[in-house]
């Protein structure tokens, strides 16, 4: 491959990578305008909170990984793999577990220990993960 072509490919790759990282950094993480959370009647502070993926990762590694991590998902096919799921959807599910609108003793206990802001962080973190290959 000629050097000029290699340079062009590298330049295009760099531009693409930069635009992807900028779009992720500028993503609206408040979820306030999504259909998933319209009927939840959230407090304004939680509704307008901008989720933080790094805080979500720390919480997920403390509370979620035991059931939703790769090791457990390989053994327990009934546990959902939530990587790559939409953040607003995951947030809504956590809120509904905490409020008792959705029933599962394990998830109600886990969600019950999280604030709505922490739920947003966890949901946003999982939404940034690459979805698993479900064809396996």
């Amino acid at each position: 491959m000629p050097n000029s072509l290699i340079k062009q490919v590298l330049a295009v790759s760099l531009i693409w990578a930069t635009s992807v990282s900028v779009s992720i950094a500028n993503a609206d993480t408040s979820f306030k305008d999504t259909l998933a959370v319209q009927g939840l009647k959230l407090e304004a502070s939680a509704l307008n909170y901008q989720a933080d993926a790094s805080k979500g990762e720390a919480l997920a590694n403390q509370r979620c990984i035991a059931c939703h991590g790769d090791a457990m998902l390989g053994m327990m096919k009934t546990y959902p793999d939530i990587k790559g799921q939409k953040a607003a959807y995951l947030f809504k599910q956590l809120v509904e577990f905490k409020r008792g609108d959705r029933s599962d003793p394990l998830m109600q206990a886990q969600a019950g220990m999280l604030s709505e802001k922490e739920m947003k962080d966890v949901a946003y973190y999982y939404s940034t993960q690459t979805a698993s290959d479900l064809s396996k």
Side-chain angles (χ1 to χ4, degrees):
M1 190 180 283
N3 280 342
S4 63
L5 183 56
I6 291 172
K7 287 179 183 178
Q8 288 175 343
V9 169
L10 289 174
V12 169
S13 297
L14 181 60
I15 291 168
W16 179 82
T18 302
S19 67
V20 168
S21 64
V22 167
S23 66
I24 290 171
N26 293 331
D28 179 10
T29 58
S30 68
F31 319 144
K32 65 183 176 184
D33 296 324
T34 63
L35 291 174
V37 299
Q38 271 185 351
L40 291 180
K41 297 180 183 168
L42 302 168
E43 292 182 23
S45 63
L47 191 59
N48 294 320
Y49 174 71
Q50 294 294 311
D52 183 327
S54 63
K55 289 179 183 177
E57 180 178 18
L59 286 165
N61 286 332
Q62 293 169 1
R63 300 182 184 268
C64 310
I65 199 167
C67 295
H68 297 288
D70 290 338
M72 183 58 77
L73 292 173
M75 294 184 290
M76 296 295 294
K77 300 297 183 187
T78 58
Y79 288 6
D81 184 354
I82 56 178
K83 292 184 296 248
Q85 185 61 262
K86 291 181 185 276
Y89 172 80
L90 292 173
F91 174 68
K92 179 180 188 252
Q93 302 315 305
L94 288 169
V95 169
E96 288 183 346
F97 280 124
K98 183 171 184 165
R99 293 179 179 177
D101 296 336
R102 187 161 179 201
S103 180
D104 179 274
L106 284 172
M107 283 304 303
Q108 286 173 310
Q110 289 299 317
M113 293 187 272
L114 296 172
S115 70
E116 289 176 350
K117 290 178 181 178
E118 290 172 323
M119 289 181 206
K120 283 184 130 178
D121 291 336
V122 169
Y124 182 59
Y125 165 70
Y126 273 107
S127 75
T128 65
Q129 301 305 295
T130 302
S132 297
D133 181 2
L134 299 177
S135 65
K136 293 180 183 178

